[in-house]
PDB file of all heavy atoms in Angstrom:
ATOM      1  N   ASP A  84       5.348 -16.168  11.987  1.00  0.00           N
ATOM      2  CA  ASP A  84       6.633 -16.450  12.611  1.00  0.00           C
ATOM      3  C   ASP A  84       7.382 -17.563  11.832  1.00  0.00           C
ATOM      4  O   ASP A  84       7.939 -18.514  12.437  1.00  0.00           O
ATOM      5  CB  ASP A  84       6.418 -16.882  14.110  1.00  0.00           C
ATOM      6  CG  ASP A  84       5.658 -15.849  14.877  1.00  0.00           C
ATOM      7  OD1 ASP A  84       5.772 -14.647  14.523  1.00  0.00           O
ATOM      8  OD2 ASP A  84       4.919 -16.219  15.825  1.00  0.00           O
ATOM      9  N   VAL A  85       7.360 -17.427  10.507  1.00  0.00           N
ATOM     10  CA  VAL A  85       8.136 -18.383   9.688  1.00  0.00           C
ATOM     11  C   VAL A  85       8.900 -17.549   8.661  1.00  0.00           C
ATOM     12  O   VAL A  85       8.625 -16.357   8.500  1.00  0.00           O
ATOM     13  CB  VAL A  85       7.188 -19.362   8.899  1.00  0.00           C
ATOM     14  CG1 VAL A  85       6.488 -20.287   9.904  1.00  0.00           C
ATOM     15  CG2 VAL A  85       6.227 -18.653   8.003  1.00  0.00           C
ATOM     16  N   THR A  86       9.802 -18.229   7.875  1.00  0.00           N
ATOM     17  CA  THR A  86      10.603 -17.508   6.896  1.00  0.00           C
ATOM     18  C   THR A  86       9.679 -17.150   5.672  1.00  0.00           C
ATOM     19  O   THR A  86       8.590 -17.686   5.509  1.00  0.00           O
ATOM     20  CB  THR A  86      11.713 -18.375   6.313  1.00  0.00           C
ATOM     21  OG1 THR A  86      11.121 -19.499   5.734  1.00  0.00           O
ATOM     22  CG2 THR A  86      12.699 -18.755   7.433  1.00  0.00           C
ATOM     23  N   LEU A  87      10.209 -16.247   4.857  1.00  0.00           N
ATOM     24  CA  LEU A  87       9.474 -15.877   3.650  1.00  0.00           C
ATOM     25  C   LEU A  87       9.176 -17.085   2.791  1.00  0.00           C
ATOM     26  O   LEU A  87       8.083 -17.279   2.240  1.00  0.00           O
ATOM     27  CB  LEU A  87      10.342 -14.839   2.842  1.00  0.00           C
ATOM     28  CG  LEU A  87       9.820 -14.549   1.376  1.00  0.00           C
ATOM     29  CD1 LEU A  87       8.510 -13.800   1.439  1.00  0.00           C
ATOM     30  CD2 LEU A  87      10.895 -13.731   0.644  1.00  0.00           C
ATOM     31  N   GLU A  88      10.208 -17.941   2.698  1.00  0.00           N
ATOM     32  CA  GLU A  88      10.057 -19.154   1.837  1.00  0.00           C
ATOM     33  C   GLU A  88       8.939 -20.051   2.332  1.00  0.00           C
ATOM     34  O   GLU A  88       8.142 -20.575   1.551  1.00  0.00           O
ATOM     35  CB  GLU A  88      11.401 -19.906   1.740  1.00  0.00           C
ATOM     36  CG  GLU A  88      12.486 -19.120   0.953  1.00  0.00           C
ATOM     37  CD  GLU A  88      13.017 -17.839   1.663  1.00  0.00           C
ATOM     38  OE1 GLU A  88      13.034 -17.842   2.964  1.00  0.00           O
ATOM     39  OE2 GLU A  88      13.382 -16.914   0.988  1.00  0.00           O
ATOM     40  N   GLU A  89       8.944 -20.288   3.643  1.00  0.00           N
ATOM     41  CA  GLU A  89       7.897 -21.163   4.202  1.00  0.00           C
ATOM     42  C   GLU A  89       6.500 -20.512   4.109  1.00  0.00           C
ATOM     43  O   GLU A  89       5.499 -21.151   3.821  1.00  0.00           O
ATOM     44  CB  GLU A  89       8.189 -21.506   5.670  1.00  0.00           C
ATOM     45  CG  GLU A  89       7.247 -22.635   6.135  1.00  0.00           C
ATOM     46  CD  GLU A  89       7.562 -23.212   7.507  1.00  0.00           C
ATOM     47  OE1 GLU A  89       8.647 -22.913   8.021  1.00  0.00           O
ATOM     48  OE2 GLU A  89       6.661 -23.882   8.040  1.00  0.00           O
ATOM     49  N   PHE A  90       6.492 -19.205   4.369  1.00  0.00           N
ATOM     50  CA  PHE A  90       5.259 -18.418   4.226  1.00  0.00           C
ATOM     51  C   PHE A  90       4.654 -18.587   2.837  1.00  0.00           C
ATOM     52  O   PHE A  90       3.507 -18.900   2.660  1.00  0.00           O
ATOM     53  CB  PHE A  90       5.501 -16.948   4.556  1.00  0.00           C
ATOM     54  CG  PHE A  90       4.403 -15.999   4.105  1.00  0.00           C
ATOM     55  CD1 PHE A  90       3.184 -15.991   4.778  1.00  0.00           C
ATOM     56  CD2 PHE A  90       4.602 -15.238   2.962  1.00  0.00           C
ATOM     57  CE1 PHE A  90       2.186 -15.169   4.298  1.00  0.00           C
ATOM     58  CE2 PHE A  90       3.567 -14.358   2.500  1.00  0.00           C
ATOM     59  CZ  PHE A  90       2.368 -14.339   3.192  1.00  0.00           C
ATOM     60  N   LEU A  91       5.574 -18.367   1.837  1.00  0.00           N
ATOM     61  CA  LEU A  91       5.084 -18.416   0.452  1.00  0.00           C
ATOM     62  C   LEU A  91       4.605 -19.871   0.070  1.00  0.00           C
ATOM     63  O   LEU A  91       3.642 -20.036  -0.610  1.00  0.00           O
ATOM     64  CB  LEU A  91       6.178 -17.971  -0.520  1.00  0.00           C
ATOM     65  CG  LEU A  91       6.331 -16.456  -0.680  1.00  0.00           C
ATOM     66  CD1 LEU A  91       7.518 -16.106  -1.485  1.00  0.00           C
ATOM     67  CD2 LEU A  91       5.081 -15.848  -1.235  1.00  0.00           C
ATOM     68  N   ASP A  92       5.348 -20.841   0.576  1.00  0.00           N
ATOM     69  CA  ASP A  92       5.013 -22.194   0.284  1.00  0.00           C
ATOM     70  C   ASP A  92       3.608 -22.513   0.775  1.00  0.00           C
ATOM     71  O   ASP A  92       2.762 -23.019   0.042  1.00  0.00           O
ATOM     72  CB  ASP A  92       6.030 -23.121   0.972  1.00  0.00           C
ATOM     73  CG  ASP A  92       5.801 -24.582   0.604  1.00  0.00           C
ATOM     74  OD1 ASP A  92       5.773 -24.884  -0.555  1.00  0.00           O
ATOM     75  OD2 ASP A  92       5.622 -25.404   1.535  1.00  0.00           O
ATOM     76  N   ARG A  93       3.317 -22.136   2.029  1.00  0.00           N
ATOM     77  CA  ARG A  93       1.999 -22.412   2.575  1.00  0.00           C
ATOM     78  C   ARG A  93       0.934 -21.529   1.884  1.00  0.00           C
ATOM     79  O   ARG A  93      -0.190 -22.001   1.600  1.00  0.00           O
ATOM     80  CB  ARG A  93       1.982 -22.094   4.083  1.00  0.00           C
ATOM     81  CG  ARG A  93       2.694 -23.096   4.928  1.00  0.00           C
ATOM     82  CD  ARG A  93       2.252 -23.014   6.332  1.00  0.00           C
ATOM     83  NE  ARG A  93       3.399 -23.167   7.223  1.00  0.00           N
ATOM     84  CZ  ARG A  93       3.324 -22.921   8.577  1.00  0.00           C
ATOM     85  NH1 ARG A  93       2.187 -22.449   9.084  1.00  0.00           N
ATOM     86  NH2 ARG A  93       4.359 -23.119   9.320  1.00  0.00           N
ATOM     87  N   LEU A  94       1.264 -20.282   1.688  1.00  0.00           N
ATOM     88  CA  LEU A  94       0.281 -19.329   1.097  1.00  0.00           C
ATOM     89  C   LEU A  94      -0.120 -19.748  -0.285  1.00  0.00           C
ATOM     90  O   LEU A  94      -1.300 -19.827  -0.626  1.00  0.00           O
ATOM     91  CB  LEU A  94       0.885 -17.885   1.110  1.00  0.00           C
ATOM     92  CG  LEU A  94      -0.054 -16.903   0.409  1.00  0.00           C
ATOM     93  CD1 LEU A  94      -1.179 -16.473   1.359  1.00  0.00           C
ATOM     94  CD2 LEU A  94       0.733 -15.703  -0.053  1.00  0.00           C
ATOM     95  N   VAL A  95       0.879 -20.005  -1.161  1.00  0.00           N
ATOM     96  CA  VAL A  95       0.543 -20.298  -2.578  1.00  0.00           C
ATOM     97  C   VAL A  95      -0.221 -21.569  -2.717  1.00  0.00           C
ATOM     98  O   VAL A  95      -1.194 -21.654  -3.533  1.00  0.00           O
ATOM     99  CB  VAL A  95       1.845 -20.233  -3.440  1.00  0.00           C
ATOM    100  CG1 VAL A  95       1.524 -20.587  -4.875  1.00  0.00           C
ATOM    101  CG2 VAL A  95       2.463 -18.830  -3.389  1.00  0.00           C
ATOM    102  N   LYS A  96       0.154 -22.570  -1.877  1.00  0.00           N
ATOM    103  CA  LYS A  96      -0.620 -23.841  -1.910  1.00  0.00           C
ATOM    104  C   LYS A  96      -2.086 -23.540  -1.565  1.00  0.00           C
ATOM    105  O   LYS A  96      -2.991 -24.069  -2.233  1.00  0.00           O
ATOM    106  CB  LYS A  96      -0.016 -24.801  -0.878  1.00  0.00           C
ATOM    107  CG  LYS A  96       1.084 -25.663  -1.392  1.00  0.00           C
ATOM    108  CD  LYS A  96       1.491 -26.697  -0.387  1.00  0.00           C
ATOM    109  CE  LYS A  96       2.844 -27.262  -0.808  1.00  0.00           C
ATOM    110  NZ  LYS A  96       3.721 -27.570   0.330  1.00  0.00           N
ATOM    111  N   ALA A  97      -2.293 -22.757  -0.550  1.00  0.00           N
ATOM    112  CA  ALA A  97      -3.688 -22.433  -0.141  1.00  0.00           C
ATOM    113  C   ALA A  97      -4.369 -21.628  -1.179  1.00  0.00           C
ATOM    114  O   ALA A  97      -5.510 -21.919  -1.499  1.00  0.00           O
ATOM    115  CB  ALA A  97      -3.609 -21.618   1.185  1.00  0.00           C
ATOM    116  N   GLU A  98      -3.674 -20.677  -1.825  1.00  0.00           N
ATOM    117  CA  GLU A  98      -4.300 -19.875  -2.848  1.00  0.00           C
ATOM    118  C   GLU A  98      -4.756 -20.742  -4.000  1.00  0.00           C
ATOM    119  O   GLU A  98      -5.895 -20.631  -4.518  1.00  0.00           O
ATOM    120  CB  GLU A  98      -3.386 -18.783  -3.334  1.00  0.00           C
ATOM    121  CG  GLU A  98      -3.172 -17.619  -2.380  1.00  0.00           C
ATOM    122  CD  GLU A  98      -2.122 -16.647  -2.786  1.00  0.00           C
ATOM    123  OE1 GLU A  98      -1.299 -16.929  -3.668  1.00  0.00           O
ATOM    124  OE2 GLU A  98      -2.133 -15.509  -2.272  1.00  0.00           O
TER     125      GLU A  98
END
Side-chain angles (χ1 to χ4, degrees):
D84 306 330
V85 297
T86 62
L87 170 66
E88 291 70 29
E89 191 174 345
F90 163 73
L91 279 174
D92 184 55
R93 287 200 219 169
L94 175 78
V95 176
K96 272 186 196 144
E98 285 175 343

